[in-house]
Amino acid sequence: MEPDWEDDTDRHNYAERIKQLKMNMNPRDKAIFLYNKVDKTPFVISRGKVRIKQAIQSVGNQYKGIYEPFRNQNPITSFFKEYNCEFVPFSTGDYNETIDGGIVYEAGPDEYPRDLWRAILSFIKG
């Protein structure tokens, strides 16, 4: 997902596709919600540090119902983890214009791919 998609219809359609995907998933399948371009949001505190709860809430407000299929139905574990999925903030980096009018890519902070890799490994290792 990305912050502030201009078109509400696109966000709605995206959320609906995620819901459909969840219906086709095996119950043992794991899901990671990757919030790309988090560096363009007010949720970044410092390099690689993100206000996760606020970011999750913002995504839920922008993409209505996107998390509902992943709601934790277990009355005991739902107290600690509301959804059966991971939410990973991410930033690939930026394309910046050079003095001569060209464009150069600058990779984002290493913390974002590190956190994504940790989430993937936690699903693989269990």
Side-chain angles (χ1 to χ4, degrees):
M1 302 152 305
E2 292 186 357
D4 301 323
W5 269 358
E6 295 292 322
D7 190 340
D8 287 340
T9 303
D10 286 344
R11 285 194 308 265
H12 172 76
N13 290 341
Y14 186 81
E16 290 302 313
R17 283 193 302 257
I18 296 297
K19 291 176 191 176
Q20 190 68 31
L21 174 68
K22 176 61 175 156
M23 289 180 3
N24 294 323
M25 288 173 62
N26 184 306
R28 287 198 221 163
D29 289 344
K30 308 293 184 192
I32 295 175
F33 282 86
L34 186 96
Y35 191 37
N36 196 26
K37 298 184 183 178
V38 74
D39 56 320
K40 307 293 185 205
T41 71
F43 309 119
V44 176
I45 301 166
S46 63
R47 182 182 169 108
K49 300 267 187 196
V50 177
R51 290 185 198 97
I52 297 291
K53 281 188 172 188
Q54 289 86 351
I56 290 171
Q57 184 178 16
S58 177
V59 168
N61 291 337
Q62 290 181 49
Y63 298 84
K64 299 289 185 206
I66 197 164
Y67 300 126
E68 286 310 308
F70 299 91
R71 185 170 294 282
N72 187 348
Q73 301 296 325
N74 184 311
I76 297 169
T77 60
S78 65
F79 182 72
F80 303 103
K81 187 168 177 145
E82 188 175 1
Y83 300 105
N84 290 323
C85 59
E86 289 297 321
F87 183 92
V88 178
F90 198 77
S91 172
T92 56
D94 288 309
Y95 289 92
N96 298 308
E97 196 169 321
T98 61
I99 295 172
D100 64 355
I103 295 177
V104 63
Y105 172 73
E106 184 179 333
D110 290 341
E111 289 84 353
Y112 297 118
R114 180 202 63 208
D115 292 346
L116 174 58
W117 185 243
R118 283 182 182 162
I120 293 168
L121 284 178
S122 74
F123 284 157
I124 293 171
K125 293 179 180 179

